[in-house]
Amino acid sequence: MILRLVLGLLLAAMALGQSASFDAMPAILTTYGLTSGAASTALAVALISTETVTAVWFLARPRSRATTPVWLYTGVAVVWAVLASQAFARGLVVDNCGCFGTYLPQPLRWYVLVEDALMLLYAGLLWRGLRRAQLTSSPATARTARTPQENH
């Protein structure tokens, strides 16, 4: 629950910063070298929308066992990680990673890759938590568990 609240706040800050500097987001995403023009604009819209929906879901329902927000979070984490890692590997100069739009800008350096790796680790922890919750409340598990009377 704590992880969802923290990630919800982080995603909300990211979406807010990116929305407030939306005019710059396509250009920022273009510097990663994978998209340009309308594709960069579409990617900006998709990222901001997904971050917003996931943030609201995590903050409003931190105990939810729904897989949808975890899929959305994982998708956002994977997109940012792919953008950063491929640009870093290609030696591209990215002056602003764009995580918070034009706010809190940081250049693409090795520590941004560490931040992205942490985001992916958090996705894994969310999936692990869901799996554990499903195992402990599974109807199949409840049906196969024997009561003390059945053991006689």
Side-chain angles (χ1 to χ4, degrees), residues 59-82:
L59 294 172
R61 302 199 54 200
R63 295 182 189 271
S64 172
R65 292 185 181 173
T67 59
T68 301
V70 179
W71 275 115
L72 294 173
Y73 173 81
T74 303
V76 166
V78 166
V79 168
W80 282 114
V82 167

Side-chain angles (χ1 to χ4, degrees), residues 63-152:
R63 295 182 189 271
S64 172
R65 292 185 181 173
T67 59
T68 301
V70 179
W71 275 115
L72 294 173
Y73 173 81
T74 303
V76 166
V78 166
V79 168
W80 282 114
V82 167
L83 286 171
S85 59
Q86 65 82 32
F88 190 82
R90 292 169 49 200
L92 297 179
V93 175
V94 178
D95 293 327
N96 177 6
C97 71
C99 297
F100 298 96
T102 57
Y103 303 93
L104 302 174
Q106 61 180 343
L108 180 60
R109 301 284 188 266
W110 65 268
Y111 50 83
V112 173
L113 300 179
V114 172
E115 292 167 356
D116 288 335
L118 286 172
M119 296 288 280
L120 294 171
L121 172 69
Y122 301 148
L125 292 174
L126 290 170
W127 283 110
R128 182 176 167 205
L130 277 179
R131 194 172 329 113
R132 282 186 174 178
Q134 289 169 349
L135 288 176
T136 59
S137 66
S138 171
T141 305
R143 274 188 253 126
T144 59
R146 294 184 174 225
T147 64
Q149 297 165 342
E150 293 175 331
N151 289 330
H152 291 279

